[in-house]
């Protein structure tokens, strides 16, 4: 079979399918959404679930893994914070069927609230991590990750970055392994129940397993060392996509160590460190590899000594500077007009935000989704954005300390993801809040994945009205395309209520509607 | 050898990603390696969109370095100017005269003057696309004009078009041809 062009996300999905993956679960998040999108479109019959949040997605995969099924869980880096609870405990319990957690980090924050390095979280959880440098490796590592997960009985983290997820390169498939993991449930309470008496033993066992992880890393074909036998002068250690940036400038005079697995192959690194007089470390994210060396040697250069910046993505330009290569790009154009992203033309969200702006509430707590665009001109309506669900939680805190009627704004998918617990608290404490749920009947920002309120074959719509009615919170549904004067009255009336009140702005996502038609 | 580094600059909805895909696929058909990199998400909502394509016998990093692009393809004037640092001294900038002022107004004549100072090859891509029968095909007009600067013939782009474009295929093939004819074969 000839090579085909695939993005890293697509390559991971196909790697999982060809590894006999039995189930896939995810919550959409840029840049990782397209992993499960690919599973969905693949025609492979691998069942897939758009879970209500990343924590649930991971638990779905863990449950399936206990029943000896190979499971693929995908999310963006920030999603792993949400899934951290089951993830870290699952390294105590271990897994049965291979469990691969593919995480898309977003260096430079092209579409994210922060940049964090998931390699660190894999090591924090004391499990194995693979870091591909291109689509081919993403495919191969996804396959290898299932094998490793089953041999180690640990979840294995596949650390992607935006440029891998969305970068497209040639991929050569290898023969498929049929999904032959039969459902087999053999309860093992000493492993699967983390009560303290069990967990103490499990932690000990996990620590003892670390030597196996290190040994696998030393032997892994994903780490490659090329020593220049003629010169010891310089060595480059690089991992993931940063390896390709380094490879682009590699002239053959330097020794080169490519890293693809964590925990790090410290013996190999030690040998490299001894061999080379100067070492440049090129990695995406935190100086993780560098920190493992820097205490040992002052000849190491990277992010800690200021050779490279500590933030934002690594580029081949930066590598060239680090290698002190002659470098003179043309001058940039200065004073170009700035271009802000904005709502799609005619979006109902922008109507609701315009009304909210006219209402003039003292503080509007925003959330994660398309509506974060209301931060930019001309709307400039949102005062805080922290994380999924934080709009209601932070509005609660402001109300508790006496701020007059804070507003919380969040989308339908975000409400199901992380808005339910703080909504319960708001009702329980009868906090004086206005909560605006923007319901466009989809997860729009990430490409139109379904929400729990979506109806469809074999699924039941969970109605926002029924949920809110069950909570006992008063609410009003409105169409944001009504005339401004009517919208203003709806907002004023809602704002005059005492205690929590919910407005639901309901209008179909226009982009999603267009997508459905074409 | 056969190396072409390409930066494609525009705003959301101009067919930036399709243009990148067509170039990568044509290179693959020519037996070359191709890598493509793009940014989605927030950038899609009317914000700037930049695609990078690198083709050659062997491609390592998918990112184009500043000062190294052989081609800067501009679907929008201001975004082309924003990406000018990528262009190499021997490279060519093939840029649509089209401009999208959203959300802040600016002087189009000033932007055109800047583009001319930079030696951009300015193309009335929208007029040619309309002439081809589909105003959405400005990206394909630019592809046609750029097709002179690749180490393979136009037939591979046409094949990639047939493989990837279902709607308005005839109009797009016409747009490609009109774009190609606007520049003399170098």
């Amino acid at each position: 079979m000839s090579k085909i062009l695939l993005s890293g996300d697509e390559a991971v999905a196909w790697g999982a399918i060809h590894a006999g993956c039995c189930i896939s679960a995810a919550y959409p998040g840029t840049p990782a959404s397209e992993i499960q999108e690919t599973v969905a479109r693949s025609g492979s019959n691998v069942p897939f679930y758009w879970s209500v949040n990343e924590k649930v997605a991971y638990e779905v995969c863990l449950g399936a893994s206990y029943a000896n099924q190979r499971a693929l869980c995908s999310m963006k880096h920030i999603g792993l914070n949400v899934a951290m609870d089951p993830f870290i405990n699952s390294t105590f319990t271990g897994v049965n069927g291979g469990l691969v957690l593919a995480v898309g980090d977003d260096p430079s924050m092209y579409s994210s609230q922060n940049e964090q390095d998931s390699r660190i979280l894999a090591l924090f959880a004391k499990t194995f991590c693979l870091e591909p440098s291109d689509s081919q490796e993403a495919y191969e590592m996804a396959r290898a990750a299932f094998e490793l997960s089953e041999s180690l009985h640990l979840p294995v983290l596949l650390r992607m970055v935006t440029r891998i997820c969305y970068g497209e390169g040639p991929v050569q498939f290898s023969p498929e392994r049929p999904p032959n993991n039969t459902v087999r449930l053999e309860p093992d309470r000493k492993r699967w129940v983390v009560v303290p008496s069990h967990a103490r033993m499990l932690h000990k066992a996990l620590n003892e397993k670390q030597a196996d992880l290190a040994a696998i890393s030393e032997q892994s074909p994903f780490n490659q060392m090329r020593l220049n036998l003629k010169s010891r002068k310089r060595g480059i250690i690089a991992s993931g996509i940063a390896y390709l940036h380094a490879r682009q400038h590699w002239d053959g005079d330097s020794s080169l160590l490519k890293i693809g697995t964590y925990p790090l192959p410290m013996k190999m690194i030690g040998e490299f460190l001894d061999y080379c007089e100067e070492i440049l470390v090129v990695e995406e994210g935190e100086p993780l590899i560098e920190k493992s060396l820097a205490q040992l040697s002052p000849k190491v250069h990277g992010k800690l000594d200021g050779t490279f910046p500590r933030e934002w993505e690594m580029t081949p330009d930066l590598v060239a500077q680090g290698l002190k290569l002659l470098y003179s790009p043309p001058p940039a154009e200065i004073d170009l007009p700035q271009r802000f992203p904005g709502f799609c033309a005619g979006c109902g969200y922008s109507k609701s935000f315009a009304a909210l702006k006219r209402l003039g509430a003292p503080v509007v707590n925003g959330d994660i989704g398309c509506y974060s665009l209301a931060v930019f001109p001309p709307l400039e309506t949102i005062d805080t954005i922290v994380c999924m669900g934080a709009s209601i939680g932070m509005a609660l805190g402001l109300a508790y300390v006496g701020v007059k009627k804070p507003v919380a704004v969040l989308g339908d998918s975000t409400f199901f993801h992380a808005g339910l617990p703080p909504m319960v608290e708001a009702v329980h404490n009868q906090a004086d809040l206005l909560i605006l749920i923007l319901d466009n009947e989809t997860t729009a920002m990430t490409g139109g994945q379904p929400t729990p309120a979506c109806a469809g074959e074999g699924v039941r719509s969970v109605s926002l009205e029924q949920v809110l009615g069950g909570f006992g919170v008063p609410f009003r549904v409105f169409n944001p395309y009504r005339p401004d004067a009517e919208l203003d009255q709806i907002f004023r009336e809602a704002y005059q209520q005492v205690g929590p009140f919910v407005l639901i702005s309901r209008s179909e996502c226009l982009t999603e509607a267009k997508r459905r038609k074409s | 050898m056969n190396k072409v580094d390409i930066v494609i600059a525009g705003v959301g909805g101009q067919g930036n990603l399709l243009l990148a895909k067509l170039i990568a696929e044509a290179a693959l058909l020519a037996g070359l390696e191709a890598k493509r990199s793009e940014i989605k998400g927030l950038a899609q909502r009317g914000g700037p969109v930049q695609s990078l394509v690198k083709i050659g016998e062997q491609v390592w990093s998918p990112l184009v370095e500043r000062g190294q692009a052989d081609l800067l393809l501009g679907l929008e004037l201001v975004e082309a100017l924003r990406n000018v640092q990528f262009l190499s001294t021997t490279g060519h900038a093939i840029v649509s005269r089209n401009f999208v002022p959203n959300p802040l107004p600016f002087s189009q004549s000033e932007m055109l003057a800047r583009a001319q100072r930079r030696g951009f090859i300015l193309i009335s891509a929208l007029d040619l696309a309309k002439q081809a029968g589909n105003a959405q095909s400005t990206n394909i007009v630019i592809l046609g004009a750029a097709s002179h600067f690749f180490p393979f013939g136009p037939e591979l782009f046409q094949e990639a078009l047939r493989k990837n474009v279902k709607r308005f295929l005839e109009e797009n093939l016409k747009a490609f041809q009109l774009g190609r004819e606007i520049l003399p074969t170098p």
Side-chain angles (χ1 to χ4, degrees):
Chain A
M1 197 176 169
S2 63
K3 288 186 179 184
I4 52 170
L5 279 176
L6 290 182
S7 72
D9 276 351
E10 291 170 329
V12 166
W14 282 108
I17 292 164
H18 291 167
C21 180
C22 313
I23 183 172
S24 170
Y27 185 81
T30 308
S33 317
E34 282 77 357
I35 296 174
Q36 183 155 290
E37 293 279 7
T38 304
V39 173
R41 279 198 313 267
S42 65
S44 65
N45 295 325
V46 174
F48 64 93
Y49 295 86
W50 289 111
S51 289
V52 74
N53 64 29
E54 293 86 354
K55 177 177 184 291
V56 175
Y58 190 82
E59 289 157 352
V60 164
C61 289
L62 189 59
S65 162
Y66 282 3
N68 194 42
Q69 299 289 285
R70 288 193 163 187
L72 173 68
C73 191
S74 52
M75 59 189 63
K76 72 182 294 170
H77 60 304
I78 291 162
L80 182 51
N81 299 341
V82 179
M84 201 62 201
D85 209 350
F87 171 57
I88 197 159
N89 289 354
S90 72
T91 61
F92 273 44
T93 66
V95 305
N96 281 350
L99 200 173
V100 174
L101 172 60
V103 182
D105 287 2
D106 190 15
S108 279
M109 300 162 278
Y110 287 104
S111 193
S112 299
Q113 329 54 316
N114 81 5
E115 48 186 353
Q116 62 187 41
D117 189 332
S118 296
R119 297 176 302 172
I120 292 175
L121 295 182
L123 295 177
F124 179 54
K126 300 184 182 178
T127 192
F128 206 78
C129 173
L130 293 158
E131 187 187 18
S133 60
D134 61 12
S135 294
Q136 179 69 48
E137 225 174 28
Y139 174 78
E140 287 167 13
M141 283 184 171
R143 298 197 62 161
F146 279 100
E147 302 297 331
L148 281 166
S149 174
E150 282 178 8
S151 66
L152 288 165
H153 293 289
L154 283 175
V156 171
L157 193 147
L158 199 56
R159 192 256 184 152
M160 314 272 286
V161 295
T162 301
R163 294 291 185 178
I164 296 284
C165 291
Y166 289 156
E168 204 173 65
V171 176
Q172 175 85 58
F173 286 158
S174 43
E176 244 175 277
R177 170 195 185 274
N180 60 358
N181 287 46
T182 50
V183 172
R184 197 179 61 232
L185 199 60
E186 291 160 359
D188 182 355
R189 293 197 179 113
K190 284 205 156 61
R191 273 181 64 205
W192 291 0
V193 178
V194 285
V195 293
S197 56
H198 297 171
R200 286 181 197 120
M201 303 318 292
L202 291 169
H203 193 191
K204 195 169 161 57
L206 178 59
N207 280 342
E208 283 164 5
K209 218 184 259 187
Q210 297 304 304
D212 299 341
L213 272 64
I216 289 169
S217 201
E218 295 292 346
Q219 300 300 321
S220 171
F222 297 123
N223 303 316
Q224 290 152 12
M225 183 158 67
R226 296 160 191 255
L227 295 180
N228 180 355
L229 299 177
K230 288 180 194 141
S231 163
R232 290 170 167 256
K233 204 158 177 272
R234 182 156 63 191
I236 302 171
I237 304 181
S239 73
I241 192 154
Y243 164 73
L244 293 186
H245 304 334
R247 193 73 174 76
Q248 180 161 322
H249 291 297
W250 184 61
D251 51 8
D253 283 347
S254 308
S255 296
L256 190 60
L257 174 57
K258 173 187 172 294
I259 297 291
T261 67
Y262 307 82
L264 289 165
M266 286 313 295
K267 272 188 215 157
M268 194 185 249
I269 286 175
E271 192 185 326
F272 195 78
L273 196 65
D274 287 343
Y275 189 81
C276 303
E277 287 161 23
E278 293 285 323
I279 286 183
L280 186 69
V281 185
V282 194
E283 58 192 315
E284 192 77 283
E286 294 297 316
L288 178 93
I289 300 171
E290 193 184 348
K291 273 185 179 164
S292 76
L293 314 171
Q295 289 97 335
L296 304 173
S297 169
K299 65 187 182 186
V300 175
H301 307 290
K303 298 186 178 190
L304 292 174
D305 73 343
T307 302
F308 297 127
R310 285 292 296 261
E311 309 81 19
W312 309 354
E313 73 179 343
M314 189 53 75
T315 64
D317 305 63
L318 286 171
V319 175
Q321 287 167 31
L323 291 170
K324 301 187 173 63
L325 299 177
L326 190 66
Y327 186 76
S328 55
E333 281 289 328
I334 50 166
D335 301 330
L336 283 173
Q338 214 186 335
R339 195 185 297 281
F340 296 105
F343 287 102
C344 304
C347 176
Y349 280 10
S350 59
K351 308 273 179 202
S352 288
F353 273 108
L356 188 57
K357 187 169 179 149
R358 292 194 297 271
L359 178 70
V363 59
V364 175
N365 297 106
D367 222 297
I368 308 297
C370 284
Y371 38 95
S372 59
L373 296 166
V375 170
F376 302 113
L379 287 166
E380 296 178 293
T381 315
I382 289 176
D383 302 306
T384 72
I385 291 182
V386 174
C387 68
M388 293 286 280
S391 58
I392 306 179
M394 291 176 65
L396 275 176
L398 289 163
Y400 290 165
V401 298
V403 173
K404 180 179 169 272
K405 197 112 183 161
V407 178
V409 186
L410 72 173
D412 46 342
S413 187
T414 305
F415 176 64
F416 285 113
H417 178 289
L420 292 169
M423 181 69 91
V424 170
E425 181 164 329
V427 176
H428 181 65
N429 289 338
Q430 284 298 293
D432 197 18
L433 304 181
L434 174 62
I435 297 148
L436 173 61
I437 299 180
L438 299 162
D439 182 5
N440 60 3
E441 300 162 354
T442 187
T443 316
M445 194 69 181
T446 49
Q449 294 80 11
T451 76
C454 292
E457 207 189 315
V459 298
R460 181 182 158 152
S461 161
V462 178
S463 132
L464 266 180
E465 287 92 324
Q466 284 185 13
V467 169
L468 296 171
F471 286 176
V473 59
F475 61 87
R476 176 172 183 181
V477 183
F478 69 95
N479 176 350
Y481 294 104
R482 294 169 73 157
D484 285 356
E486 287 180 36
L487 288 182
D488 287 347
Q489 191 173 348
I490 290 168
F491 273 78
R492 259 198 319 273
E493 282 173 14
Y495 202 68
Q496 280 158 5
Q497 306 287 318
V498 178
F501 190 88
V502 180
L503 277 177
I504 301 174
S505 164
R506 181 164 290 150
S507 59
E508 183 186 32
C509 168
L510 300 177
T511 301
E512 182 55 20
K514 208 157 66 183
R515 196 167 8 212
R516 256 184 240 133
K517 254 183 246 159
S518 67
Chain B
M1 286 303 284
N2 289 332
K3 173 210 99 127
V4 189
D5 286 7
I6 305 126
V7 175
I8 307 172
V11 297
Q14 293 185 318
N16 188 317
L17 308 186
L18 175 66
L19 179 49
K21 189 179 170 68
L22 291 170
I23 294 172
E25 294 228 348
L28 224 58
L29 290 169
L32 297 171
E33 193 174 325
K35 284 186 179 171
R36 183 158 84 91
S37 186
E38 66 206 23
I39 294 300
K40 301 184 193 181
L42 200 63
Q44 276 181 318
R45 302 293 189 277
V49 181
Q50 182 209 57
S51 295
L52 308 171
V53 190
K54 287 172 87 169
I55 65 180
E57 308 292 346
Q58 170 111 61
V59 179
W60 295 110
S61 170
L63 301 189
V64 175
E65 280 173 86
R66 283 175 291 164
Q68 294 297 317
D70 303 287
L71 285 173
L72 169 60
L73 306 185
L75 301 176
E76 200 274 343
L77 197 53
V78 181
E79 293 313 313
L81 285 166
R82 211 186 298 284
N83 283 276
V84 75
Q85 267 214 303
F86 285 97
L87 198 58
S88 103
T89 46
T90 56
H92 303 278
I94 298 168
V95 178
S96 167
R97 285 177 189 275
N98 184 35
F99 71 101
V100 181
N102 173 52
L104 301 173
F106 62 89
S107 154
Q108 191 190 4
S109 58
E110 187 206 327
M111 293 301 144
L112 276 169
R114 287 195 192 198
Q116 273 152 1
R117 274 202 298 279
R118 291 285 186 165
F120 284 8
I121 301 167
L122 290 169
I123 308 246
S124 300
L126 183 60
D127 294 345
L128 292 172
K130 281 181 184 160
Q131 198 184 322
N134 181 25
Q136 303 297 312
S137 300
T138 53
N139 54 343
I140 307 301
V141 171
I142 296 294
L143 179 65
S147 64
H148 294 287
F149 302 98
F150 286 83
F152 45 81
E155 66 284 354
L156 295 186
F157 288 112
Q158 286 153 346
E159 195 180 333
L161 264 168
R162 286 193 190 91
K163 256 178 74 182
N164 289 285
V165 178
K166 299 279 171 280
R167 297 171 66 202
F168 297 109
L169 175 62
E170 285 315 309
E171 289 82 355
N172 277 308
L173 287 167
K174 181 90 190 292
F176 179 83
Q177 201 51 39
L178 289 175
R180 187 167 167 86
E181 285 165 7
I182 208 86
L183 292 187
T185 307

